[in-house]
Amino acid sequence: MKPALGGTRVVAVAAAGVLLAGCSGLAKDGGQGPEPSRSAGQRTEASGKPDPKDPKAPEDPEESRQPGALPSSYDFTPNPARVPKNAAQARELTRNAALGEMDWAAGMVRHSPYERGGTWPVLADSCVWSRTPLPSGVLDSFTRRLDVPAQGGKGRVQGAVTVTVHRTEAGADREIKDTVQESFRCPRQELGGGQRLSGLMSLQFDHKDVRNADASLFEAGKYTGPGSGGTQDYVWTKSRIGPVTTAVSVKGAKGYTNTELLRIAAEGGAKVLYRVELELK
């Protein structure tokens, strides 16, 4: 049984869910993507518009065309012909979908190192992360690292986006579930190079609350490492569309609030999911 999240962590998780849903209409260039419809209820006498409290009422065409309107549920189905069947096809998808320095948020720059692919992260019983060759069920996994530079008295925020293609949807779903359990098994984790995470808690969102993926989770905790300027907030989101998973992490810095980090993570998460959809349409 999963332990309950308490205090500020509950607020952070709730905020992340709202932000992730709210950004689901973003296109890869930062503008609005397709305008999904939302169910509308019965028309009211006063306004002549549907009453959103009536789930059986017909949809209002005018309402459904509003930019940024969210669907009532996620119903995207990957085109079987576009789902990668081998490593070469998977590598093409991961590199097309992963965000570059012009794709995430204005002003972000490349981290050094910038790209890494073809390996798999493993959390040992000692709660220390290491990397191994890709397991047989994974066709490819690719990461790009992007930072918000230090400026205006604020420190350097470190971001990363990872796109992974599994051979099956079941394998991708297992990755989501395993990730949630890892934070409970290891609330303190060693990333290497003097980087540490602590106070980690994960929550997988209920399927009905996810509007831009088949499944999503959120993780929050604290980060310390070289150049971090002390203990900072850390947020991480992971989502799945078909056999593809996406992960976005943001390590905080001096001068940044948790809400600012959540917005950075939510924007990156929404954009990479949109790009995965484009690859699988």
Side-chain angles (χ1 to χ4, degrees):
M1 181 174 179
K2 299 177 183 176
L5 301 179
T8 57
R9 197 64 50 76
V10 173
V11 176
V13 169
V18 172
L19 288 167
L20 284 168
C23 289
S24 64
L26 291 172
K28 75 174 184 179
D29 62 357
Q32 290 292 333
E35 298 170 3
S37 63
R38 60 181 172 191
S39 49
Q42 195 172 27
R43 295 182 180 274
T44 62
E45 266 185 54
S47 67
K49 291 189 174 183
D51 179 357
K53 295 181 181 179
D54 182 1
K56 296 182 180 179
E59 180 178 288
D60 180 7
E62 181 180 349
E63 183 83 4
S64 68
R65 290 195 297 268
Q66 294 301 313
L70 294 174
S72 58
S73 62
Y74 188 70
D75 60 0
F76 173 77
T77 300
N79 178 350
R82 299 275 289 166
V83 175
K85 306 298 191 299
N86 55 52
Q89 293 173 351
R91 282 193 294 270
E92 182 178 2
L93 184 150
T94 59
R95 282 145 183 80
N96 287 344
L99 304 179
E101 57 193 305
M102 303 300 292
D103 304 319
W104 190 335
M108 294 189 81
V109 298
R110 294 185 179 191
H111 185 87
S112 182
Y114 173 50
E115 296 179 335
R116 177 171 58 194
T119 63
W120 188 250
V122 175
L123 185 62
D125 292 340
S126 61
C127 297
V128 176
W129 284 98
S130 62
R131 303 197 74 85
T132 66
L134 294 175
S136 60
V138 176
L139 291 173
D140 190 54
S141 186
F142 179 67
T143 298
R144 283 195 178 126
R145 300 182 183 280
L146 296 161
D147 297 348
V148 179
Q151 56 189 336
K154 293 184 175 183
R156 187 181 185 95
V157 171
Q158 300 178 57
V161 57
T162 298
V163 182
T164 300
V165 180
H166 291 258
R167 291 186 182 276
T168 65
E169 288 191 12
D173 198 50
R174 188 162 52 251
E175 180 192 342
I176 296 288
K177 291 178 169 57
D178 288 347
T179 299
V180 175
Q181 296 306 315
E182 283 171 345
S183 69
F184 299 134
R185 175 168 68 88
C186 290
R188 295 177 61 88
Q189 300 175 7
E190 300 280 342
L191 303 181
Q195 299 182 91
R196 296 178 176 84
L197 301 177
S198 61
L200 292 175
M201 293 289 282
S202 292
L203 174 71
Q204 183 171 351
F205 293 111
D206 191 291
H207 178 74
K208 70 178 185 299
D209 297 325
V210 182
R211 308 292 180 85
N212 59 350
D214 292 316
S216 287
L217 65 85
F218 175 77
E219 182 172 277
K222 298 293 183 180
Y223 163 77
T224 58
S228 67
T231 302
Q232 308 295 344
D233 287 321
Y234 167 83
V235 295
W236 189 34
T237 68
K238 180 172 280 191
S239 301
R240 177 182 69 82
I241 295 178
V244 180
T245 63
T246 64
V248 172
S249 68
V250 178
K251 299 169 184 172
K254 177 184 176 182
Y256 281 88
T257 65
N258 190 268
T259 299
E260 289 175 304
L261 301 180
L262 287 169
R263 289 191 179 279
I264 294 171
E267 184 173 357
K271 286 180 176 179
V272 70
L273 285 171
Y274 180 75
R275 289 166 72 113
V276 168
E277 281 195 8
L278 291 181
E279 293 298 311
L280 295 175
K281 286 182 70 171

